[in-house]
Amino acid sequence: MIADRSASPATANATVTAAPNAAPDIVAGPVLDDIDARPGSTASLLRTIVGLYLRPLGGWISAADLVALADDLGIPAAQARTGITRLKQKGLLLAERRHAIGYRLNPDATTMLERGDRRIFEMREMTDADSWCLISFSIPERARSIRHQLRRRLQWIGAGVVSPALWICPGHLQGEVQEIVDELQASEWVTLFQAGTPTTVRTLPETAAAWWDLESLRAEHFAFQASLATLPTAPFAAYVQLLDRWRVLPYVDPGLPPSMLPAEWPGRRSVVEFQRLSTELSDAAWQRVLDVTGAAARSARATGAGVTEAARPS
């Protein structure tokens, strides 16, 4: 299924009206989402910059430098500042003044960003020999907020719907599923199973089409491929736009084995094109970040050498 990326996520800790004398509802606590902004939007582009570069920059960036990098993407200063404020409200950034007004990465976002790194840069495609993870849950009505969040987040990692309370995803994503369950404090209601190839009365492609919205997913791949023709010419802007346009696909596409996919599936071409362009653009984009932030000069003054390989984004 494809997540509705145009809609804002439901407020995690929203109040739910209960019947008189009913037990208090259990609601999901605030959780940082891997995907919470429409690609191409100011919030999404700024989030992509933060996810790519704040960690190799030491976890902090000045407000002026972040606005300058946004300007490279055609985002006006006032609009960028509004977008940064929203990232603070989402909990991704924390205000912190050092030698200038700036922002540091919220330590609570580290797990989410590392999960994103694995998905975005190491997208895995299943083989017929790979295992599956089944997610079975029975969440009481008093915890319906948690049930909603669980379904929403399973959808966003590319899980398929076997039935309303039984979902399926590639076995190598079981760790991510467990992280989601733990973050939502839903362990008492959720059971995970490892499984082999599903057996149904339908063919494997028919089964996949019933559990995932493959036509919408196919359209997502074609839209990504078409968008590559409109990338900016400047390497930094092109690289950030590339990542911003790509980063949803490795989540919503579970990387099904070829035996479960229709003929001429476009997923492989999307992966190849992303990897090619990422390799071509990443070094020059990083150099632009160093030029804007002065990180190279500060590192050289501190160490007597240039920026180390450890300081570069992977």
Side-chain angles (χ1 to χ4, degrees), residues 247-303:
R247 70 182 179 91
V248 171
L249 266 174
Y251 281 89
V252 297
D253 186 338
L256 299 177
S259 62
M260 296 186 75
L261 292 170
E264 300 181 359
W265 182 250
R268 173 99 295 263
R269 183 187 170 200
S270 292
V271 172
V272 169
E273 287 299 293
F274 169 75
Q275 291 174 340
R276 177 182 66 83
L277 288 167
S278 180
T279 300
E280 291 178 3
L281 296 168
S282 59
D283 285 350
W286 173 236
Q287 186 58 53
R288 173 59 181 165
V289 173
L290 295 179
D291 291 344
V292 169
T293 62
R298 288 198 299 274
S299 178
R301 286 196 299 270
T303 66

Side-chain angles (χ1 to χ4, degrees), residues 50-274:
V50 168
L52 275 172
Y53 297 118
L54 251 66
R55 285 169 293 168
L57 286 173
W60 183 90
I61 190 170
S62 75
D65 289 346
L66 187 50
V67 170
L69 290 173
D71 183 66
D72 280 6
L73 298 171
I75 301 173
Q79 190 172 323
R81 292 189 187 98
T82 299
I84 293 167
T85 298
R86 289 175 179 165
L87 292 187
K88 287 170 55 186
Q89 293 170 344
K90 291 284 188 181
L92 185 62
L93 295 177
L94 301 173
E96 182 178 290
R97 187 181 185 112
R98 296 188 180 178
H99 59 276
I101 296 172
Y103 306 95
R104 68 180 174 94
L105 188 66
N106 186 343
D108 293 341
T110 301
T111 298
M112 176 195 67
L113 293 175
E114 290 174 349
R115 182 167 60 216
D117 290 343
R118 293 191 298 269
R119 278 300 191 95
I120 291 168
F121 296 105
E122 302 171 18
M123 183 176 178
R124 290 181 58 172
E125 297 168 276
M126 294 184 69
T127 69
D128 290 332
D130 290 333
S131 64
W132 295 88
C133 172
L134 296 179
I135 308 108
S136 174
F137 53 91
S138 180
I139 301 177
E141 183 62 18
R142 71 181 189 279
R144 56 186 176 274
S145 172
I146 293 176
R147 185 172 61 220
H148 168 74
Q149 286 276 14
L150 178 62
R151 286 173 173 166
R152 173 173 165 270
R153 295 188 68 189
L154 288 177
Q155 182 179 2
W156 275 2
I157 68 165
V161 184
V162 181
S163 67
L166 181 64
W167 292 52
I168 184 170
C169 69
H172 63 261
L173 296 180
Q174 182 163 334
E176 289 191 22
V177 175
Q178 189 63 60
E179 286 178 5
I180 291 170
V181 172
D182 291 343
E183 288 171 2
L184 294 174
Q185 300 180 20
S187 298
E188 64 180 296
W189 302 306
V190 180
T191 304
L192 306 183
F193 302 90
Q194 284 279 335
T197 303
T199 301
T200 72
V201 296
R202 297 171 293 203
T203 66
L204 286 178
E206 289 171 342
T207 299
W211 293 349
W212 287 272
D213 188 349
L214 294 184
E215 287 309 306
S216 293
L217 189 54
R218 183 197 298 272
E220 290 276 332
H221 278 290
F222 284 142
F224 168 74
Q225 293 167 17
S227 77
L228 301 181
T230 64
L231 288 175
T233 56
F236 171 77
Y239 188 54
V240 173
Q241 290 276 8
L242 172 70
L243 266 292
D244 189 64
R245 298 173 189 184
W246 165 256
R247 70 182 179 91
V248 171
L249 266 174
Y251 281 89
V252 297
D253 186 338
L256 299 177
S259 62
M260 296 186 75
L261 292 170
E264 300 181 359
W265 182 250
R268 173 99 295 263
R269 183 187 170 200
S270 292
V271 172
V272 169
E273 287 299 293
F274 169 75

